[in-house]
Amino acid sequence: MNTNERHPQVLWAQREGLLYLTVELHDAQDAKIDLTESSIDFSNTTDDMLYKFHLDFYKPINPKESKKTLTGRKTVMLLEKQEDEWWPRLTKDTKKLAFVKTDFDHWKDSDDSGDEEPDFSGMDFSQMGGMGGMGDMASMMGGMGGMGGMGGMGGMGGMPDLSALAGAGAADEAADEGEDEDEATSKPKD
């Protein structure tokens, strides 16, 4: 690899019939992505640095049925597998690639119950053929939700008012000390 080349971080997850591949690289709207049945080639120049990688998939995918979207921070791809089955790894090669990591936000094991899919609402996957930029930013941001205002904290409902007990502890201690003194002075003398 050239000294001016780097690998972007690649996250992956899967379902029985899909792969989720995310390339975390900002300003990648003009990325060159060559997707075939057996591999993917990615390259993009960001901040005068060339980022690229090549991966040979564990088994074939359907590139024509796959989708991708590019944002200002990452490239998200939904790759359809040719066979509905769980893969033991992303690539043919058993060697671990340092730049490829598991995407635990989208991961689901084969024995997990339910068929819920990850929430990619707001992602514009209509640009599979062209790399036309960010698409409709308003619809992307609409699916993101938000924290909203926290408002006042109010009280801790259901908690008893313990302020009346604040002085009671001191009074009890004083009473205990007084008893000790009384015991010492009230002992009969021999």
Side-chain angles (χ1 to χ4, degrees), residues 60-87:
I61 64 159
N62 291 322
K64 290 181 181 177
E65 300 299 321
S66 298
K67 301 173 184 177
K68 66 185 166 200
T69 187
L70 300 153
T71 70
R73 306 192 121 241
K74 60 187 171 187
T75 302
V76 178
M77 292 173 264
L78 300 176
L79 309 177
E80 186 174 302
K81 297 176 184 177
Q82 283 189 5
E83 298 175 21
D84 289 347
E85 64 180 307
W86 293 91
W87 294 1

Side-chain angles (χ1 to χ4, degrees), residues 39-172:
S39 68
I40 183 171
D41 285 290
F42 176 96
S43 67
N44 188 71
T45 301
T46 301
D47 299 331
D48 297 324
M49 183 69 62
L50 177 62
Y51 290 86
K52 66 185 225 175
F53 68 87
H54 171 85
L55 296 174
D56 289 316
F57 296 124
Y58 180 75
K59 286 199 169 183
I61 64 159
N62 291 322
K64 290 181 181 177
E65 300 299 321
S66 298
K67 301 173 184 177
K68 66 185 166 200
T69 187
L70 300 153
T71 70
R73 306 192 121 241
K74 60 187 171 187
T75 302
V76 178
M77 292 173 264
L78 300 176
L79 309 177
E80 186 174 302
K81 297 176 184 177
Q82 283 189 5
E83 298 175 21
D84 289 347
E85 64 180 307
W86 293 91
W87 294 1
R89 60 186 172 278
L90 176 62
T91 62
K92 280 184 181 181
D93 193 359
T94 58
K95 179 180 142 191
K96 178 152 173 50
L97 302 170
F99 65 96
V100 177
K101 301 190 181 325
T102 303
D103 185 350
F104 288 106
D105 289 338
H106 298 118
W107 189 263
K108 183 177 176 184
D109 288 325
S110 60
D111 58 352
D112 284 348
S113 64
D115 292 328
E116 63 278 349
E117 295 296 325
D119 182 16
F120 285 110
S121 62
M123 292 287 190
D124 182 10
F125 289 106
S126 66
Q127 299 176 17
M128 181 60 188
M131 302 291 286
M134 291 180 58
D136 182 8
M137 185 61 137
S139 69
M140 257 193 287
M141 297 302 283
M144 293 178 66
M147 191 167 136
M150 288 182 61
M153 290 291 287
M156 298 285 289
M159 294 294 290
D161 182 13
L162 302 176
S163 61
L165 300 176
D172 288 343

